[in-house]
Amino acid sequence: MKNFITLADLPDFDQTLHLAMELKKQPTQWDSMGRGKTLGLLFFNPSLRTRLSTQKAAQNLGLPTMVMNFSQESWALEFEDGTKMSGLRSEHVKEAAAVVSQYCDMVAIRAFASLSDKEKDEAEIVLKSFAQYASVPIINMESATAHPLQALADAITLKEHQTPHKPKVVLSWAPHPKALPHAVGNSFVNMMGYMEADFVITHPEGYALNPEITKGIECTTDQQKALKDADFVYTKNWCSYEEYGQILRTDDQWMITPEKMKHTNNGKFMHCLPIRRNIVASDGVLDSPNSLVIQQSQNRIYSAQAVLKQLLENE
């Protein structure tokens, strides 16, 4: 594994999942592996779980970290080739990536979608530019189209609560006052391709995810039908893909409530956090014993640690 940009970069998904679960049992069993190495964490967007969990994962491996918030602490970066840099951007990614590679043995990057230009977002310019010009491994801490560390943590959570039967897993769109990217939904869909489950996506009209990603997966605009007998309900908002970046509705008809969860098979509730209470899901759902959101956030440590360990072993 040269870089970890998407789940497809993992040499073996099942082995990585097993490794993450073993690391959770003994987090510090490899606490000298990162000695003499440094992990750089570059944030172009805000973070809570991603930053802290990745730092904790590195700490468990004895791997020191350096953190930079590009939005506040760095020169503005230019990513286009051949441009005359006469504007506000003072440094080109060619130099920035090369320089960071001298200071760090691997670099993790968080850079959200703009939601204004679908073509540019799907080109993953920030992440792919660093992968092109850096001489060390690049790790995706959420990009314009993918959040594989979250998806791996979700897989750990599903595995920890596995049912005696083939589970039904539902990914349900939820309302939100802001336009949000597709990264979490995309990676959750990709992750479910590795799991044995009946998987259904439900969303209102106009909110289908990228059809290339959901190809072959059952999708329905009937949320109640989708929730029937579900063992797991993963809720997430995303903006329109077809009318890219747009909010087509903000009403609460799609909010997950205790009444809706009654249609499930005593279903567990999942969300990547942060979550807007009583917008995406009600207090009654989030505060119920069936809510797994805090456990998911804990598992972010071990998803990151499993990835970091494999990259260290490759070196």
Side-chain angles (χ1 to χ4, degrees), residues 1-305:
M1 181 167 61
K2 181 181 178 182
N3 297 309
F4 180 68
I5 308 298
T6 70
L7 291 174
D9 290 320
L10 294 173
D12 188 301
F13 179 87
D14 290 333
Q15 285 184 10
T16 302
L17 181 56
H18 177 75
L19 171 62
M21 297 181 75
E22 288 300 308
L23 287 168
K24 187 172 182 178
K25 295 175 185 176
Q26 292 182 286
T28 58
Q29 60 181 307
W30 304 101
D31 60 0
S32 62
M33 178 174 277
R35 186 178 300 157
K37 306 287 185 180
T38 302
L39 169 65
L41 304 176
L42 309 184
F43 290 91
F44 290 82
N45 297 98
S47 175
L48 190 156
R49 278 148 295 277
T50 296
R51 175 170 174 172
L52 296 182
S53 63
T54 306
Q55 285 186 286
K56 179 66 173 178
Q59 180 179 306
N60 287 344
L61 295 169
L63 178 65
T65 58
M66 295 195 298
V67 180
M68 173 164 277
N69 292 301
F70 266 76
S71 60
Q72 300 170 348
E73 300 172 343
S74 172
W75 303 111
L77 290 188
E78 177 61 64
F79 291 92
E80 290 188 17
D81 287 334
T83 184
K84 183 177 180 180
M85 292 173 57
S86 58
L88 295 175
R89 298 182 178 183
S90 306
E91 184 156 19
H92 201 282
V93 68
K94 288 183 178 181
E95 286 77 45
V99 168
V100 171
S101 298
Q102 294 177 317
Y103 306 150
C104 304
D105 298 279
M106 56 185 75
V107 177
I109 298 172
R110 184 174 177 89
F112 292 170
S114 68
L115 298 181
S116 61
D117 188 322
K118 183 193 292 188
E119 192 172 296
K120 280 191 175 181
D121 284 345
E122 293 188 335
E124 293 283 15
I125 292 170
V126 176
L127 214 63
K128 289 185 178 178
S129 293
F130 271 92
Q132 179 179 355
Y133 297 118
S135 57
V136 298
I138 300 298
I139 300 161
N140 185 353
M141 294 193 297
E142 187 173 359
S143 65
T145 65
H147 198 351
L149 287 175
Q150 179 65 55
L152 186 53
D154 297 335
I156 299 168
T157 309
L158 289 170
K159 197 76 171 175
E160 288 176 329
H161 292 272
Q162 61 186 346
T163 57
H165 56 272
K166 188 178 182 180
K168 180 180 180 181
V169 181
V170 176
L171 172 62
S172 177
W173 181 92
H176 197 282
K178 293 173 59 180
L180 295 185
H182 306 91
V184 171
N186 288 344
S187 287
F188 188 80
V189 172
N190 288 334
M191 179 272 290
M192 288 304 302
Y194 297 95
M195 308 293 280
E196 282 292 324
D198 293 323
F199 181 46
V200 180
I201 303 172
T202 184
H203 55 76
E205 292 286 350
Y207 277 103
L209 289 164
N210 183 345
E212 291 298 314
I213 292 174
T214 60
K215 189 181 297 182
I217 296 170
E218 181 183 348
C219 299
T220 177
T221 57
D222 188 336
Q223 188 188 43
Q224 183 171 322
K225 177 184 175 184
L227 292 176
K228 182 173 172 54
D229 298 326
D231 297 291
F232 299 91
V233 178
Y234 197 109
T235 304
K236 184 70 179 78
N237 173 268
W238 55 83
C239 63
S240 175
Y241 180 78
E242 186 176 347
E243 296 183 45
Y244 193 67
Q246 299 302 305
I247 300 175
L248 306 183
R249 60 186 295 167
T250 56
D251 60 82
D252 62 1
Q253 291 181 21
W254 280 71
M255 179 175 71
I256 299 297
T257 63
E259 290 69 33
K260 289 183 179 181
M261 292 299 288
K262 289 177 182 178
H263 296 290
T264 71
N265 182 29
N266 194 32
K268 301 291 193 293
F269 176 80
M270 300 176 69
H271 189 280
C272 60
L273 300 182
I275 187 168
R276 296 200 180 216
R277 282 176 172 258
N278 304 308
I279 298 277
V280 174
S282 69
D283 288 337
V285 172
L286 284 164
D287 296 332
S288 79
N290 279 15
S291 175
L292 303 181
V293 297
I294 302 303
Q295 186 173 338
Q296 286 174 262
S297 67
Q298 182 190 28
N299 286 336
R300 288 294 307 279
I301 300 170
Y302 308 106
S303 65
Q305 193 171 342

